[in-house]
Amino acid sequence: RSVFIKKPSWVNCMGRLDHQSCLDLYQNFDGLFFPSKIESYGIPLVEAMAAGLPIIVSDRPYSRVLCGEQAFYFNPQSPKSALAAIGKAKVAIAGGWRPDWSEELNRIPNDWDEVARKFIGED
């Protein structure tokens, strides 16, 4: 059984974007909603952090590792949980809150060579 909840008018789905359009649009967004259930890393999360955006993301191990305690998490099996997380983010943003992703970004490897070195235990 599918559950459909009407999305709030202030949530806009952008559809598929090319790379440059995506980077340009990050500058106009209030936050990133990332509802993935099967992601293993989540490059858009890193892009949003680099842009200084609030993040609303599925509560999964990969998202907890990347985003730490600053993201707004929701149960990806529950549309109501997702809407509640979006609502919490909206209130925080309206109150002037902005995330400081510096600690999370410092933990991210600088390049794929560094990733490989960490993977094989040389780092």
Side-chain angles (χ1 to χ4, degrees), residues 3-72:
V3 176
F4 293 95
I5 296 176
K6 185 176 186 228
K7 74 173 182 66
S9 62
W10 42 268
V11 172
N12 298 305
C13 296
M14 302 306 296
R16 188 175 181 95
L17 301 170
D18 64 52
H19 181 72
Q20 189 58 51
S21 296
C22 182
L23 294 176
D24 292 344
L25 283 170
Y26 275 124
Q27 302 307 311
N28 299 315
F29 293 153
D30 293 321
L32 174 70
F33 178 68
F34 197 72
S36 178
K37 291 190 234 179
I38 60 171
E39 196 68 43
S40 63
Y41 188 74
I43 296 295
L45 297 172
V46 177
E47 293 169 341
M49 283 189 271
L53 294 175
I55 295 173
I56 305 119
V57 62
S58 299
D59 192 354
R60 293 300 213 220
Y62 77 89
S63 58
R64 290 279 179 178
V65 167
L66 275 174
C67 301
E69 294 303 314
Q70 294 209 57
F72 296 88

